[in-house]
Amino acid sequence: MTVVTTSENFWEISVPDNTARGGRRHAGLRADARRSIERIVTAAESLISSRGPEVTLEEVAREAGVAPATLYRHFPSRMHLFEDMYRGKTAAFAERATDLASNLSPLDALVQWLREFIDLCIESDSFLSSLLGQGLRETDPEENLRWGYSKIVMAAEGLLVEAQRTKALRPSINASELIVLVSGVARAIELASPSSRIAPSGAMRDRFLMIILEGILEPSEAVSLAHPPHPS
């Protein structure tokens, strides 16, 4: 089990730690089966990005170059496929925090990760909406949200603590609070510009994020998003 508890017990979450793509459903598969799954997921991501979440499994199978029976063996429904995609994206993004921390200063790593987190929230909205709309009939959307939240908060906490340790950020904010605030930026972008859901406005994202950062930076610190940092 994975337990995430903030310093002020703002939220406490306990969820199964099946973090690999597909969780237990794809455990112990042969190499060729894993390759088929990767092709299916890649095809689904491409189709959904261009056409939305209404694509059928038959269309995904055709795009992936696999037989429909192969796809259904791994993903009994569209919701199982969407769940796999959501968990894969979330786990990969949580690991992104480690990459940034290894190549940037603590504050720059946190800022860049938050910028990418906002983009991920907007990109994943169609997957989450489909999962939530399906209810509890085929997958458990609430458990998926708890799982995703725990992964993201743990990644954010590592970056946040390091930035606070260097006295760049005020110690009064915790990772749960920061994620809730920054998640609101994605929602604000969607409300302000519905057409930006696929390609969010970088200027709008950075402006809203800067407003949040100005409230949690120590007075002696300053950060600019005009030229975003990138790891070498």
Side-chain angles (χ1 to χ4, degrees):
M1 301 289 284
T2 297
V3 178
V4 177
T5 306
T6 70
S7 59
E8 298 177 7
N9 292 319
F10 184 77
W11 253 318
E12 183 172 301
I13 299 174
S14 180
V15 296
D17 190 22
N18 51 330
T19 57
R21 169 164 274 179
R24 292 183 295 269
R25 190 168 63 250
H26 301 325
L29 292 178
R30 298 182 312 182
D32 58 340
R34 290 196 298 271
R35 286 193 295 270
S36 293
I37 290 171
E38 290 299 325
R39 288 165 60 189
I40 291 167
V41 170
T42 299
E45 289 175 348
S46 175
L47 288 172
I48 290 173
S49 294
S50 61
R51 295 170 47 192
E54 293 77 21
V55 296
T56 66
L57 290 184
E58 289 74 15
E59 291 173 314
V60 172
R62 187 161 52 248
E63 179 75 13
V66 301
T70 299
L71 187 150
Y72 280 103
R73 183 163 59 250
H74 298 303
F75 302 105
S77 73
R78 290 168 69 250
M79 293 305 105
H80 287 99
L81 177 57
F82 285 7
E83 177 185 65
D84 197 86
M85 294 168 66
Y86 167 68
R87 289 195 170 219
K89 283 178 176 291
T90 302
F93 182 69
E95 294 172 3
R96 171 73 171 149
T98 302
D99 296 336
L100 290 170
S102 300
N103 292 281
L104 298 173
S105 70
L107 180 57
D108 284 346
L110 176 63
V111 170
Q112 180 62 20
W113 188 84
L114 291 174
R115 297 171 86 247
E116 295 177 16
F117 172 64
I118 294 168
D119 292 344
L120 177 69
C121 287
I122 296 172
E123 178 186 350
S124 299
D125 182 67
S126 60
F127 303 143
L128 289 173
S129 295
S130 296
L131 285 170
L132 291 169
Q134 186 71 13
L136 301 177
R137 289 174 292 174
E138 298 179 24
T139 62
D140 187 341
E142 293 182 359
E143 194 275 337
N144 276 301
L145 289 174
R146 288 193 299 269
W147 177 90
Y149 177 80
S150 72
K151 294 290 290 183
I152 293 299
V153 168
M154 283 190 291
E157 185 170 20
L159 295 173
L160 177 64
V161 167
E162 285 303 310
Q164 289 172 328
R165 187 170 294 153
T166 63
K167 309 299 184 183
L169 295 179
R170 296 174 181 175
S172 56
I173 189 167
N174 61 47
S176 290
E177 294 166 337
L178 181 60
I179 289 302
V180 170
L181 284 171
V182 177
S183 297
V185 172
R187 182 57 177 158
I189 290 174
E190 293 175 347
L191 291 174
S193 179
S195 63
S196 68
R197 292 166 68 90
I198 301 300
S201 167
M204 187 183 300
R205 174 201 59 204
D206 289 349
R207 173 58 182 156
F208 290 161
L209 179 57
M210 179 62 76
I211 292 172
I212 293 174
L213 292 173
E214 287 175 347
I216 63 175
L217 283 168
E218 289 288 6
S220 60
E221 291 292 332
V223 63
S224 172
L225 298 181
H227 301 286
H230 292 284
S232 56

